[in-house]
Structure formats: structure tokens, C-alpha cells
Amino acid sequence: MPQNVISKCEGGMDSPNNLPACLPMSDTSWGFTVGAFALGGLAGSLSTMYLNHWFGRRDNIMIACGWMILGGILSATSINIGMYSIGRAFVGIAAGMSGSSVAIYVSEISTKKSRGALGSLFELFLNLGILLTQVCGLYMKFVPVWRLLWAIPSIIAFIQLVLLFFITVECPRRLCVEGKYDQARVALQKLRGNANVDEEFANMVAARQREAEGQPRMSMLDIILFKDRHITWNTIIVMVLQAYNQVGGIGPMSVYSVNFLTSIFNGDQMLGTDVSLANATGNIVATFIAVIFMHRVGRKGFMLISTGGMCITSIMIVVGSAAPQAAKLGPLVITAALCFTFTYSMGCGVIPWLIAPELLPMHALPPGSALGNASNWLLNFVINTVWPVMNANLKEYSFTVFAAINFVGFVFIFFCMPETTGKDLDHHHKKDRRSTIGDLESKDDDPSSDSGTTGQEISKSYVEQLDDTRRHQE
């Protein structure tokens, strides 16, 4: 919404302070600043392969807050296009880092039944952020207040940084990998309240033991070179799903929505703005539906609904905007635009952030998740950079491209995507657990056993076995 005020100087050249009233630039240059955000996201997502290993999920999100604060300040105080672009890139780095780490963090601290609903909150708050952005953009698109738009992320990131430091805990699974079993148990107990965590902690430590004994940590190169074909294939599925978080057309429908819809409605910017705000509100409603019904419909079910719905509504947008009497079909375009983002938010907006921890074992999760997020941000950059040119040439037929892309996605998901709803994050190791922990597990699972062995004692035994294994390896 503030694009023309910033890049075309529609609000005038006079500024009440020492900062420029606007930053004159061409549409291509503006597209580059949008792309700088996506390139930063690509770099941030790739860096999580190492940062999640060095610092952990929680600390990685806190580091991302620092990038967000710095990027917001640079953008808000920019005096030229270069400074503005660097600020947008820094914010992109923060988004890329947190996008990967938050998804893993939420999955790892959740229970099996609540993971889908809690994972959907990622998209819910993403959509709340978009709605906040749209509302703020509507009322702050004038000189010099537009600069405060870029300060908002810094303020929110600072609040988040404080809350993360004082309230949250590191993932228990991550702490077990580092051998910090006491801290892991305390963290798990805090997450579960008054519930008995003995069995869950025992299972968690057993899975970590199996990893320590026979499954060395994989690198990104190992996945690319098909060192483990099953893991590589699952990583490809993660990358495709992450790609459909962007490639289906949501970028043009959100980043460029006002200008795109205004052109369809014959220059009626107010109508385009109203539909854009309605889209943002519809996203929130759709995400609530996903939160409520995720465990019933399933990951695959919502992805099929999403890609199928986006394909159909893309065709409706083309029919409504390219018809000889397009003005009379305005309601069709409005309905299609609303349904497009509605169906997107139920599947493509939610599932990609849940799927990596459910398809990839712990020793392959950092590189696999980083590759998935990299495909997301790379296509974010490509789509949002190419869209102005594509729209200028194809005009009313632009969304035929997205109709075809979403159809291909529907076919891929139908035939290739496994259903992961309700799976334990450590299901990758369960087929080998009996050979790993032997009689201890048998006694724990057998309700007729009266050995008196408690879950806490089993956990302690697992830890002792794991320590012995590591000392032997050293």
C-alpha cells in the first residue's frame, strides 16, 4: 500500500526531519527490494543447518530476533535504496532463520495429538501479522509515517526476545542430543505441567540412544548424494511442500494484491484495498479451521484441498478478469480471490511448516529442514521478482500459470505424499527399539509385568547405557 509513496514520491518530497521523504526508484528496483527480503530468507534458512546444531532451536530464534531488530531499524532510517535493500535483506535473514527453527521447535515441544493444532498457530500468527501489516499500511501510507511501518517489526522482535529469554525452554529432544538429561527432563516437565513424563522421557532417550549407536549426523551433501535414499526422498517431499508455500501464487495475491486487484477492478484502488483486507481476514478464519480439524482431515487431506482449491480459483480469476464483460463478473473475481487465499491458508500455508520433523529423523532434520526452507525462499524470490514482468505481459491471463502449477502439485501430493498425522516424531527409530533396549522395553510395555520398574528408572537406565556407549566410542 505505501509503495507509490515510497518509490514514486506521491506524498511529496518535503520531509519534516533529516530523513528523505521518499526513495525514488523504478518498478524493477522496487521488485529488487522485495527480492532482497527473499534472498535474505534463503540465506537465513540455509544457515539454520549449522545454527540449529551449534545453538539449538530456542537460541536460534533469539538470534533471529536480533537480525529482525537490526533490519527494521535500517529500513526505517534508510536514506537511499542500498540501505533500504540491506535492511529488507536483514529482515529476510531473520524470517528465514525463524521460519525453520520455529517450525521444528513447535513440533518438538508438542504432544503427538496437539502437534497439528499447535503447528497451525505458526500460520495463524503469520496471517495475523499480514492483517496487521495491511491495516497499518492503509493508515500509515504517508510522509513521514511510512517509516514507522518498518520500525514495527523491531518493536515486536524486541518483545519476543524478552519473552523467549524469560519464559521458554529449549527442546527436550535437543537437550538429550547434547547429553543434558537433567535439563531435558526439567524442560519436558515444564512443558507438560503436572503430567507424568516418565514414559515420554524414556522413549525420547531411547531414540537418542539409537541415533548415537548407529546413525551419524547427516550433512546436506549426504542428502543430495542419496546416501540414504529413503531420507533423500522424504527431503524431496519436504522441499516440494515448502515450495508450494510460495509457488502456487500466494505472493502476487498478498505482496502485490492491492495493485493487482486494482488493475482488475479498472483502477478502483479502494475496492482492491478492501478485498486485500478481506483476504487477510479470511486467512485467519481458514487457519482456525485447520487448527480445529487438522487431526481429522490430516496433513495430506488439507494439502489436497489447498492445491485443488487454488487451481480452481486461479481459473475463476482468469475467467472473471479476461471475459469480454469483465466489469459484470467483478463478484466472481472477488469471490475467487477470497477463496484462493482461504484454501491456501488451510493447507499450503500450514502443512509445510509441520512436515519436516514428521518425515525426517533427528540426525537428518537440520540439513533436510534447511533444504526445504531454502526451496521456499528461493521460489519466494523468483515468483515475487518475476511477477511484475509476468503480469505486465500476460495481464488478465497471469493466473493461468498458477492454475497449472497447482494442478501439478495436487497430482504430486495425491501420489507421493505420505500421511503423517498422529505419528510420533521418533517413529523413525521405533522399528529398532526392541533390539536396542531389550528386556527393559518389554517390561515397560507388558501390563502383566510386576517387576516394579518405573519410567524414571527406565529413563535412568537408558541414560547410563547411552553414556557407556559414548565413553566406549571416545
Side-chain angles (χ1 to χ4, degrees):
M1 295 179 187
Q3 176 182 349
N4 290 335
V5 175
I6 298 173
S7 65
K8 307 296 184 185
C9 299
E10 285 189 356
M13 301 288 289
D14 296 329
S15 175
N17 50 50
N18 293 327
L19 296 173
C22 57
L23 302 172
M25 65 184 89
S26 64
D27 289 341
T28 301
S29 298
W30 178 264
F32 176 77
T33 66
V34 176
F37 170 76
L39 287 177
L42 175 63
S45 62
L46 287 173
S47 71
T48 58
M49 183 183 70
Y50 303 101
L51 296 176
N52 272 328
H53 171 57
W54 295 338
F55 299 107
R57 325 311 186 209
R58 173 178 174 265
D59 292 346
N60 203 26
I61 301 170
M62 294 173 68
I63 294 171
C65 289
W67 283 104
M68 183 72 74
I69 293 169
L70 179 59
I73 292 173
L74 282 175
S75 298
T77 59
S78 56
I79 59 176
N80 53 50
I81 299 175
M83 185 175 175
Y84 180 78
S85 299
I86 292 173
R88 302 310 299 148
F90 283 0
V91 172
I93 291 173
M97 290 175 61
S98 58
S100 175
S101 301
V102 169
I104 297 175
Y105 182 85
V106 172
S107 293
E108 291 188 343
I109 67 171
S110 305
T111 62
K112 184 166 59 177
K113 288 186 177 181
S114 68
R115 193 183 312 121
L118 292 178
S120 300
L121 293 180
F122 184 96
E123 177 68 11
L124 175 63
F125 277 87
L126 197 67
N127 289 329
L128 284 172
I130 292 173
L131 179 60
L132 174 64
T133 301
Q134 298 280 25
V135 172
C136 290
L138 181 63
Y139 295 103
M140 299 174 68
K141 56 180 181 180
F142 55 89
V143 179
V145 182
W146 65 264
R147 291 183 176 275
L148 295 179
L149 281 171
W150 308 128
I152 291 174
S154 297
I155 296 170
I156 294 176
F158 177 77
I159 296 172
Q160 183 183 13
L161 182 62
V162 174
L163 294 176
L164 282 166
F165 183 80
F166 287 105
I167 294 178
T168 61
V169 295
E170 182 56 87
C171 298
R173 294 172 83 233
R174 163 72 185 180
L175 292 171
C176 284
V177 170
E178 295 179 345
K180 300 176 181 178
Y181 306 111
D182 291 338
Q183 293 181 34
R185 190 179 183 85
V186 170
L188 184 62
Q189 190 68 67
K190 183 175 181 179
L191 291 168
R192 301 293 180 258
N194 296 325
N196 189 321
V197 300
D198 290 342
E199 182 179 355
E200 183 179 3
F201 185 65
N203 293 336
M204 189 181 298
V205 176
R208 302 294 79 75
Q209 179 185 20
R210 176 60 185 168
E211 289 174 348
E213 289 178 347
Q215 295 174 328
R217 184 177 289 108
M218 295 187 71
S219 68
M220 195 176 292
L221 186 61
D222 291 334
I223 294 176
I224 294 174
L225 296 178
F226 288 81
K227 186 175 181 180
D228 185 317
R229 292 185 179 182
H230 178 70
I231 289 177
T232 299
W233 172 242
N234 281 350
T235 302
I236 291 172
I237 294 174
V238 171
M239 293 177 67
V240 171
L241 295 185
Q242 281 282 7
Y244 271 88
N245 184 256
Q246 297 293 337
V247 77
I250 193 60
M253 192 57 75
S254 57
V255 177
Y256 297 102
S257 59
V258 174
N259 288 341
F260 172 66
L261 293 171
T262 297
S263 65
I264 289 179
F265 300 138
N266 297 319
D268 191 341
Q269 187 175 23
M270 184 57 67
L271 180 57
T273 301
D274 290 341
V275 174
S276 182
L277 288 171
N279 264 335
T281 305
N283 284 344
I284 297 173
V285 176
T287 309
F288 266 118
I289 293 175
V291 169
I292 296 170
F293 295 102
M294 180 62 69
H295 208 67
R296 297 181 183 179
V297 178
R299 314 318 191 223
K300 185 172 183 176
F302 269 125
M303 281 301 296
L304 289 172
I305 292 172
S306 187
T307 50
M310 291 164 67
C311 177
I312 295 171
T313 51
S314 293
I315 295 172
M316 292 170 61
I317 290 173
V318 173
V319 171
S321 58
Q325 296 179 332
K328 295 182 179 180
L329 293 178
L332 175 64
V333 177
I334 294 173
T335 302
L338 293 174
C339 290
F340 181 94
T341 53
F342 195 87
T343 54
Y344 166 85
S345 294
M346 286 194 293
C348 292
V350 175
I351 309 302
W353 306 110
L354 303 175
I355 205 69
E358 297 180 347
L359 284 179
L360 299 173
M362 193 76 167
H363 66 281
L365 183 56
S369 179
L371 284 170
N373 280 269
S375 72
N376 184 313
W377 285 102
L378 179 61
L379 286 166
N380 182 312
F381 170 74
V382 171
I383 295 296
N384 287 321
T385 303
V386 170
W387 168 254
V389 177
M390 187 173 78
N391 187 45
N393 287 277
L394 297 179
K395 297 182 179 179
E396 296 87 356
Y397 296 94
S398 298
F399 266 71
T400 54
V401 176
F402 299 123
I405 290 173
N406 285 307
F407 176 76
V408 172
F410 181 90
V411 174
F412 178 88
I413 291 163
F414 185 83
F415 288 104
C416 301
M417 178 183 174
E419 181 57 76
T420 59
T421 302
K423 283 190 175 182
D424 193 322
L425 288 185
D426 292 319
H427 72 278
H428 313 279
H429 310 285
K430 284 195 171 181
K431 62 182 179 180
D432 301 314
R433 282 178 60 196
R434 193 166 302 279
S435 62
T436 304
I437 61 179
D439 293 338
L440 285 174
E441 188 190 42
S442 300
K443 291 179 182 179
D444 185 48
D445 288 342
D446 186 359
S448 64
S449 173
D450 58 357
S451 63
T453 304
T454 65
Q456 188 171 2
E457 291 169 342
I458 294 175
S459 300
K460 184 178 179 180
S461 176
Y462 291 166
V463 173
E464 290 172 351
Q465 290 182 38
L466 183 53
D467 286 340
D468 290 340
T469 300
R470 285 179 171 169
R471 282 195 293 269
H472 178 71
Q473 291 175 341
E474 289 172 358

